């Protein structure tokens, strides 16, 4: 069920979390890599950190704002964070040394491990300029493509590769969320091309300006992306479209909660268990947690499961 994100106080939601305490180890620090402070990863990460602090004995969890998926993959590879949210399609490129990662050192990302697929992340194509009817009309336009290093910018690079473009073909704006919303209000950009989750507050605020309209992604690009890695054709339903009662054709990537081989089986088991067994509390922080189900947890993973997550899923009869 898709839900519109409603104004929930992160602080109030965090304070409402419970206090059961299974034992893992003493003084275990768990840093959760998210993305920008206005985004979905950050809100979910904040709620999850509170759940870990309140329910897993000995854990001291905190969130770390980052530039998004590409930076998060490097942080995991360097073991500078313990867990992270990231785009599954971008993660797969890193794990296989393809796409924007083809020139990285071989096997740099081979120690990455998956915990769960948590929600779908569709691409939005939103135009402010009335002359824009398709992606081809973006040449020479001011286009918000997401923060550098984010999954949105990684997707934009794939779009440019497919189109045979470079950044010289547009006027790129490396903005997302609040910065891009302000640019829409101030008429400083012509289009937005970046992903955001169903029911996104950011997309709602873009719609509220009255200056923008969503467009279908070009069918040939959807077909191309559907055949690349973990991305798949995705229809944004009317219930998740704040611009009107109609669907929008796009593509999406599974968002992965990930870790690395340096984390113990017992620790990841407890973190996986705490995340799923406190789902209702996480929903109070961000309704996107509704999408997080055991049935879909192993769908579209970019790298192998961590043994601790695998152990939990076996206990649940899923393996």
């Amino acid at each position: 069920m898709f839900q519109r994100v409603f104004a929930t106080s992160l602080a109030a939601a965090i304070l409402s979390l419970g206090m059961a305490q299974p034992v893992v180890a003493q003084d275990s620090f768990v840093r959760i890599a998210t993305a920008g402070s206005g985004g979905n990863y950050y809100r979910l990460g904040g709620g999850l950190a509170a759940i870990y602090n309140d329910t897993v004995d000995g854990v001291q969890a905190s969130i770390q704002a980052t530039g998004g998926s590409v930076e998060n993959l490097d942080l995991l590879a360097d073991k500078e964070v313990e867990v992270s949210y990231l785009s599954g399609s971008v993660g797969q490129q890193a794990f296989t040394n393809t796409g924007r990662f083809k020139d990285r050192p071989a096997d740099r990302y081979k120690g990455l491990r998956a915990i769960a697929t948590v929600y779908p992340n569709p691409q939005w194509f939103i135009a402010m300029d009335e002359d824009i009817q398709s992606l081809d009309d973006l040449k020479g336009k001011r286009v918000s493509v997401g923060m550098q290093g984010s999954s949105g910018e990684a997707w934009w690079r794939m779009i440019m590769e497919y189109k045979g473009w470079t950044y010289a073909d547009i006027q790129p704006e490396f903005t997302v969320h609040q910065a891009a919303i302000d640019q829409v209000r101030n008429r400083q950009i012509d289009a937005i091309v970046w992903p955001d989750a169903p029911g996104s507050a950011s997309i709602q605020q873009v719609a509220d300006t009255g200056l923008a309209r969503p467009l279908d992604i070009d069918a040939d690009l959807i077909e191309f992306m559907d055949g690349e890695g973990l991305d798949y054709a995705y229809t944004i339903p009317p219930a998740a479209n704040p611009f009107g009662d109609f669907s929008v054709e796009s593509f999406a990537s599974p968002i992965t909660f990930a870790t690395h081989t340096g984390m113990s089986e017992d620790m990841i088991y407890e973190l996986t268990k705490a995340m799923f067994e406190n789902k209702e509390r996480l929903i109070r922080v961000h309704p996107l947690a509704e999408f997080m189900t055991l049935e879909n947890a192993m769908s579209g993973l970019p790298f192998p499961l961590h043994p601790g997550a695998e152990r939990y899923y076996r206990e649940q009869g899923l393996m």
Side-chain angles (χ1 to χ4, degrees):
M1 238 357 233
F2 291 90
Q3 294 191 29
R4 177 172 297 178
V5 174
F6 40 82
T8 302
S9 164
L10 181 60
I14 288 173
L15 287 173
S16 70
L17 300 173
M19 298 295 293
Q21 300 271 337
V23 174
V24 174
Q26 293 301 313
D27 302 319
S28 297
F29 293 94
V30 174
R31 296 162 293 184
I32 305 171
T34 60
S37 59
N40 299 313
Y41 291 2
Y42 191 86
R43 288 182 62 193
L44 284 168
L48 194 56
I51 286 171
Y52 289 160
N53 287 331
D54 288 347
T55 66
V56 184
D57 188 41
V59 161
Q60 297 182 45
S62 62
I63 54 176
Q64 184 169 325
T66 72
S69 293
V70 176
E71 182 179 348
N72 292 353
L73 286 159
D74 286 330
L75 290 169
L76 284 174
D78 295 335
K79 297 181 173 58
E80 293 182 7
V81 297
E82 284 64 52
V83 291
S84 172
Y85 290 97
L86 54 90
S87 166
S89 59
V90 179
Q92 185 183 58
Q93 287 182 16
F95 194 72
T96 57
N97 275 107
T98 57
R100 70 178 298 165
F101 299 89
K102 63 184 177 183
D103 296 325
R104 302 288 181 93
D107 297 336
R108 169 161 169 69
Y109 303 98
K110 288 302 183 184
L112 273 56
R113 292 294 180 266
I115 295 175
T117 291
V118 288
Y119 66 87
N121 205 37
Q123 178 77 309
W124 287 87
F125 175 22
I126 300 171
M128 280 61 73
D129 186 326
E130 293 183 0
D131 292 334
I132 297 173
Q133 300 296 326
S134 76
L135 288 169
D136 288 333
D137 297 326
L138 294 179
K139 277 200 167 185
K141 301 294 186 180
R142 301 167 297 177
V143 185
S144 173
V145 298
M147 294 186 298
Q148 289 182 310
S150 68
S151 56
E153 199 241 345
W155 261 351
W156 178 255
R157 286 173 178 265
M158 292 179 68
I159 292 171
M160 289 196 299
E161 182 178 354
Y162 176 73
K163 293 286 187 184
W165 294 356
T166 68
Y167 273 123
D169 288 295
I170 64 167
Q171 299 178 52
E173 295 286 341
F174 298 103
T175 54
V176 72
H177 302 304
Q178 190 57 53
I181 295 162
D182 290 341
Q183 287 178 315
V184 173
R185 293 188 181 118
N186 297 329
R187 299 177 183 267
Q188 294 172 324
I189 53 174
D190 302 310
I192 286 171
V193 185
W194 35 259
D196 213 339
S200 162
S202 297
I203 300 301
Q204 177 66 55
Q205 290 182 61
V206 172
D208 289 344
T209 67
L211 302 171
R213 70 191 196 284
L215 297 172
D216 290 339
I217 298 287
D218 300 10
D220 61 328
L221 180 64
I222 293 175
E223 183 177 2
F224 168 73
M225 298 298 287
D226 190 45
E228 292 291 307
L230 300 178
D231 297 329
Y232 53 94
Y234 186 90
T235 299
I236 300 169
N241 178 14
F243 296 88
D245 188 25
F246 57 92
S247 60
V248 181
E249 297 305 317
S250 185
F251 58 87
S253 175
I255 296 301
T256 305
F257 192 53
T259 186
H260 54 73
T261 54
M263 295 294 288
S264 73
E265 178 179 333
D266 285 346
M267 173 63 81
I268 295 302
Y269 169 82
E270 292 294 352
L271 297 184
T272 306
K273 180 179 179 181
M275 181 172 69
F276 280 103
E277 294 189 356
N278 291 277
K279 175 180 173 178
E280 292 304 316
R281 300 172 186 177
L282 197 54
I283 290 170
R284 296 203 296 271
V285 173
H286 200 318
L288 266 180
E290 287 274 15
F291 288 99
M292 189 181 71
T293 66
L294 284 171
E295 292 75 17
N296 295 327
M298 292 179 285
S299 174
L301 297 176
F303 18 79
L305 273 174
H306 190 282
E310 182 176 333
R311 178 173 139 201
Y312 178 71
Y313 297 140
R314 285 189 185 281
E315 282 188 0
Q316 301 306 306
L318 300 174
M319 299 182 70

